[in-house]
Amino acid sequence: MHDQKISSLQVENRRFSPSESFQAQSSITAQTIESLQKLASQDVVAFWEHQANELHWFRKWEKSFEWNYPFMKWFQGGLLNLSYNCLDIHLSTNRANKAAIIWESEPGEIRTITYRQLHKEVCKLAEALLQLGVKKGDVVAIYMGMVPEATMAMLACARIGAIHNVIFGGFSEESLKDRINDSKAVCLITQDVAQRKGFFIQLKETADIAMASCPTIQHSIVYQRSATMYTPMQAGRDHWWHELTANKKGNIAPEQLDAEHPLFILYTSGSTGKPKGIFHTTGGYATQVRYSVQLVFDIRETDVYFCTADVGWITGHSYITYGPLMHGATVLMYEGTPTYPTAGRIWEIIERHNVTILYTAPTAIRSFMSFGERYPLASDLSSLRLLGTVGEPINPEAWMWYYSVIGKNNCPIVDTWWQTETGSIMISPIPSVTTITPGTATAPLPGVIADVVRSDGSSCEINEGGYLVIKHPVPSMARTVFGDDERYKQTYWSEFPPNEHHQGFYFTGDGARKDEFGNIWIMGRVDDVVNVSGHRLGTAEVESALVAHPDVAEAAVIAKPDEVKGNALIAFVTMNKTAQYDPKLMNEELRQWVGKEIGSIAKPDEIRFTEQLPKTRSGKIMRRLLREIVASGTISGDTTTLEDFSALESLRKQEEE
Ligand code: WTA
């Protein structure tokens, strides 16, 4: 157990209630929430059954919930298809010709895809996958940028019961290769190039390097984003998307899948070196994602919903693809960097498309803030009615800026806490009901039983720091770590195992406290996972990338608070005794190296070379000491297990220089 004391000095007294006009337009009232809470407290499984009934099922489930610590199953025996729930259900309504996706490319092209068209394109690709021999239960890797085809690829997999494994387009060939091989993907869907910050990102070229070391890949499907680029295609393996789908009818029946049929694997960082393949299934995931969109985004028929996440992260799965489409909403998708070519781009997009809901990350908000108010003030943002954030705690200053400069003091902000593992939003305000205090995600949604506890599992007092846990499984929780049940058990379910009082708590890895109003304040990770620009990184992952460099002997990576990015990464590196190097050049070389091993997002902001790293007698690197050195240059607490103080002294000297 991570037994450090968690303390917080944050005090925030501002409170914001939903405006009368927001309340008047919402169908969700305080009574709605009360009755949901009541149902959930009487019988939480019956509560989720009630929500599952909102989906379309080919056959209703036989068993609503099975708990075999730490493995859960929801709605077994039920048959459904998630692409059917996102597409087909709308075709017989007047949503058929409604825009499902409005896409704006970075250079400014606009494409509108209706539900009918999206259904057709998804069916065509699904047929193409079947033709290539991809079967139900096979894994399909998706390595794409922000184009509607990424959504189509996910839905096509869901239609035939293939399991998608989306790999963020910013990852390097090494990361791509590892994720393909770990999941044993048989097919890779990619695109020639993606466009970002005015540059072409060569996705197919990177994919080619990766695929050369991926023995399980039999086929790749390449979406042609650029009309002009030359793209080498390997005969037999590589197929152009447009050629493969050209002669398809565009209307294939969806597979009727068991609720527990796997929907996707999504790799995420953990506290050890190897990323974990978070494994999600169909029925429970769909149930809770659908429910959360209804409650948290208060979704309405006329909404134009804009989420700035990338499809490569869980937010892009649940809240760009599946959630809004299940509700028949219009999703605004933007290809590029929100501050390109000017810092006003994102606000221009909102004005151009009359966006009503904006869902983004605190790091993005801080970056928008840093350009000043003149950019948002230059656009008409009056279409906005609701704002949201995700990914890390939002500092009250950024919250106030978002609220007043973007929302004009008129839009509630939903600060949503959740994780790749929970699949959907767990803690969030209900915009028409909750009185919000900047900086807290407020309270768990009805049906979610969350608490802040001590290491013995007992509930903390008001404002006492502790560990955030979920006390009852929820339908959209990850079922396992792909191929590693033991790691799933160890990581999430071993800190608070079942005892005479409870059936085991899910451990989130986050520290938190609960205030006198019941608001939960997230205080950050208590493990070695850090949030950099809203992306989740394992410091161990960056360390193992560094030590893979031939000249590096040892590395320890820690996070340091950063005004814009939330956290910056500082790497302490010990070089091999034989290595000859110029620290300045090596600094850059190692940053590039990490970029190549993992991706640019993981490049350390700073590298410090050291003769030795401080260690315990058992040889564990004492990262706490490194953190303290960086934070203050002072050392406190118990250092009697230190092997060699000289290491600390020389690190401290560097700090003072
Ligand atoms: C952090 C992103 C504070 C938290 C959906 C969590 C947050 C991790 C919030 C999951 C929030 C996410 N306030 N912290 N509103 N949302 N986090 O898997 O530490 O990329 O455990 O999922 O992000 O990151 P992940």
Side-chain angles (χ1 to χ4, degrees):
M1 189 70 198
H2 325 272
D3 240 346
Q4 75 255 40
K5 257 228 167 332
I6 303 173
S7 58
S8 164
L9 299 170
Q10 207 173 8
V11 181
E12 173 61 63
N13 296 319
R14 285 171 287 203
R15 290 165 64 74
F16 297 85
S17 300
S19 69
E20 274 175 22
S21 70
F22 192 96
Q23 283 178 327
Q25 285 166 29
S26 173
S27 57
I28 300 166
T29 64
Q31 285 73 32
T32 323
I33 299 305
E34 246 169 58
S35 60
L36 287 173
Q37 296 283 24
K38 195 167 158 212
L39 183 59
S41 64
Q42 282 162 352
D43 184 344
V44 74
V45 173
F47 172 88
W48 287 116
E49 282 200 88
H50 189 67
Q51 298 308 328
N53 269 324
E54 297 289 314
L55 297 172
H56 169 274
W57 296 84
F58 297 113
R59 186 177 80 197
K60 206 174 160 183
W61 57 91
E62 283 144 20
K63 193 170 184 191
S64 44
F65 177 58
E66 183 185 293
W67 178 238
N68 182 9
Y69 165 82
F71 302 103
M72 69 187 81
K73 288 186 174 152
W74 287 87
F75 315 121
Q76 277 177 92
L79 294 177
L80 80 166
N81 185 288
L82 196 37
S83 93
Y84 189 94
N85 273 280
C86 289
L87 303 169
D88 307 49
I89 58 161
H90 306 305
L91 298 186
S92 56
T93 72
N94 48 15
R95 286 183 188 142
N97 295 320
K98 177 180 175 180
I101 301 176
I102 301 172
W103 178 73
E104 183 167 316
S105 74
E106 197 179 71
E109 180 195 348
I110 292 168
R111 266 169 80 191
T112 300
I113 300 165
T114 65
Y115 272 93
R116 196 188 300 285
Q117 290 165 332
L118 187 60
H119 173 264
K120 192 167 181 186
E121 293 306 318
V122 167
C123 284
K124 283 175 159 187
L125 185 66
E127 234 177 304
L129 285 166
L130 290 172
Q131 184 197 341
L132 291 179
V134 176
K135 299 182 304 298
K136 174 176 160 185
D138 283 346
V139 176
V140 174
I142 301 174
Y143 183 59
M144 299 187 83
M146 288 299 289
V147 288
E149 282 67 19
T151 298
M152 293 173 194
M154 292 162 83
L155 290 167
C157 290
R159 194 156 192 94
I160 63 170
I163 307 164
H164 58 72
N165 168 12
V166 183
I167 298 145
F168 173 55
F171 276 133
S172 68
E173 61 256 22
E174 279 296 313
S175 293
L176 176 60
K177 182 195 80 183
D178 290 348
R179 285 158 173 78
I180 291 176
N181 286 340
D182 192 75
S183 68
K184 303 186 177 59
V186 297
C187 178
L188 172 67
I189 306 180
T190 186
Q191 63 193 72
D192 50 357
V193 289
Q195 200 148 345
R196 267 194 95 81
K197 269 195 199 151
F199 292 105
F200 285 124
I201 316 285
Q202 307 285 340
L203 291 179
K204 172 66 164 53
E205 196 178 298
T206 308
D208 279 339
I209 304 170
M211 283 192 287
S213 315
C214 296
T216 55
I217 290 285
Q218 292 161 15
H219 294 283
S220 88
I221 301 177
V222 187
Y223 165 64
Q224 192 172 34
R225 165 76 184 87
S226 145
T228 51
M229 303 282 291
Y230 169 72
T231 306
M233 300 287 277
Q234 185 177 307
R237 186 194 67 184
D238 301 345
H239 317 268
W240 285 112
W241 176 307
H242 58 275
E243 288 178 5
L244 214 52
T245 54
N247 58 357
K248 304 290 181 287
K249 288 192 296 293
N251 190 16
I252 67 155
E255 273 283 332
Q256 303 198 2
L257 302 167
D258 189 275
E260 281 297 335
H261 184 76
L263 178 67
F264 65 87
I265 303 170
L266 180 60
Y267 284 83
T268 188
S269 298
S271 47
T272 61
K274 195 168 165 264
K276 298 183 287 244
I278 301 300
F279 190 79
H280 282 285
T281 57
T282 308
Y285 173 81
T287 297
Q288 203 175 339
V289 168
R290 187 186 190 288
Y291 163 75
S292 61
V293 169
Q294 180 76 60
L295 246 66
V296 175
F297 298 116
D298 193 41
I299 203 89
R300 301 172 196 170
E301 199 58 56
T302 49
D303 274 324
V304 178
Y305 165 93
F306 180 19
C307 169
T308 66
D310 190 281
V311 284
W313 311 114
I314 189 69
T315 311
H317 287 56
S318 305
Y319 299 109
I320 293 180
T321 302
Y322 295 115
L325 296 181
M326 274 190 273
H327 283 278
T330 296
V331 176
L332 190 280
M333 190 184 215
Y334 171 57
E335 178 182 42
T337 303
T339 49
Y340 184 87
T342 75
R345 181 63 182 267
I346 182 164
W347 317 120
E348 290 161 14
I349 292 174
I350 290 170
E351 175 177 344
R352 186 156 37 247
H353 302 285
N354 291 309
V355 168
T356 58
I357 303 175
L358 174 65
Y359 190 33
T360 189
T363 184
I365 297 168
R366 288 190 297 266
S367 133
F368 301 145
M369 264 174 91
S370 70
F371 291 101
E373 290 183 13
R374 78 184 166 99
Y375 289 101
L377 292 183
S379 291
D380 177 3
L381 304 180
S382 59
S383 56
L384 286 171
R385 66 173 189 87
L386 178 63
L387 304 172
T389 73
V390 58
E392 58 185 310
I394 180 163
N395 49 310
E397 193 197 349
W399 196 99
M400 286 308 303
W401 187 85
Y402 199 29
Y403 188 73
S404 57
V405 179
I406 307 308
K408 317 290 182 208
N409 303 317
N410 203 24
C411 304
I413 297 180
V414 285
D415 173 351
T416 62
W417 179 92
W418 58 296
Q419 309 179 297
T420 306
E421 294 85 344
T422 68
S424 62
I425 296 169
M426 303 284 279
I427 304 176
S428 167
I430 312 288
S432 56
V433 174
T434 310
T435 296
I436 304 171
T437 297
T440 163
T442 72
L445 297 181
V448 175
I449 307 171
D451 197 7
V452 179
V453 299
R454 306 187 181 104
S455 44
D456 64 5
S458 59
S459 294
C460 287
E461 301 282 325
I462 286 172
N463 286 330
E464 177 189 350
Y467 304 99
L468 180 65
V469 297
I470 310 296
K471 290 187 158 176
H472 190 285
V474 288
S476 68
M477 258 180 187
R479 300 299 190 254
T480 191
V481 170
F482 183 66
D484 201 345
D485 286 349
E486 189 51 36
R487 190 164 175 204
Y488 174 74
K489 184 173 179 182
Q490 276 306 321
T491 312
Y492 305 108
W493 298 97
S494 63
E495 304 286 6
F496 304 96
N499 58 28
E500 66 276 26
H501 306 296
H502 63 77
Q503 49 177 353
F505 298 161
Y506 166 86
F507 177 48
T508 62
D510 280 359
R513 71 179 164 94
K514 208 192 256 188
D515 71 14
E516 57 273 37
F517 304 103
N519 288 324
I520 294 179
W521 294 76
I522 307 293
M523 286 148 58
R525 304 284 308 194
V526 295
D527 54 14
D528 290 322
V529 176
V530 290
N531 249 298
V532 179
S533 300
H535 299 317
R536 184 169 150 181
L537 288 169
T539 47
E541 220 176 307
V542 184
E543 286 167 6
S544 76
L546 283 165
V547 295
H549 186 282
D551 289 340
V552 173
E554 272 190 313
V557 173
I558 57 148
K560 175 183 165 183
D562 180 275
E563 273 203 356
V564 173
K565 303 198 310 182
N567 283 294
L569 291 181
I570 317 283
F572 290 86
V573 170
T574 310
M575 301 298 279
N576 285 329
K577 293 277 174 284
T578 50
Q580 306 266 329
Y581 65 97
D582 169 333
K584 265 218 175 83
L585 294 178
M586 185 50 81
N587 194 317
E588 197 41 39
E589 182 174 329
L590 291 179
R591 293 185 68 248
Q592 296 303 336
W593 174 269
V594 174
K596 189 179 119 326
E597 289 282 307
I598 304 178
S600 287
I601 50 165
K603 282 183 186 171
D605 295 82
E606 199 182 319
I607 294 179
R608 296 190 192 174
F609 296 97
T610 167
E611 289 290 306
Q612 277 172 332
L613 288 166
K615 287 187 191 159
T616 62
R617 289 208 192 287
S618 64
K620 273 189 138 188
I621 298 173
M622 298 181 79
R623 291 182 180 75
R624 177 179 64 81
L625 287 173
L626 297 173
R627 262 179 233 126
E628 285 185 28
I629 291 175
V630 168
S632 62
T634 57
I635 298 155
S636 64
D638 178 21
T639 53
T640 51
T641 48
L642 264 186
E643 195 178 44
D644 185 356
F645 270 103
S646 63
L648 267 182
E649 281 309 311
S650 74
L651 284 173
R652 193 159 42 171
K653 268 207 207 102
Q654 272 190 30
E655 180 70 25
E656 283 162 1
E657 271 164 17

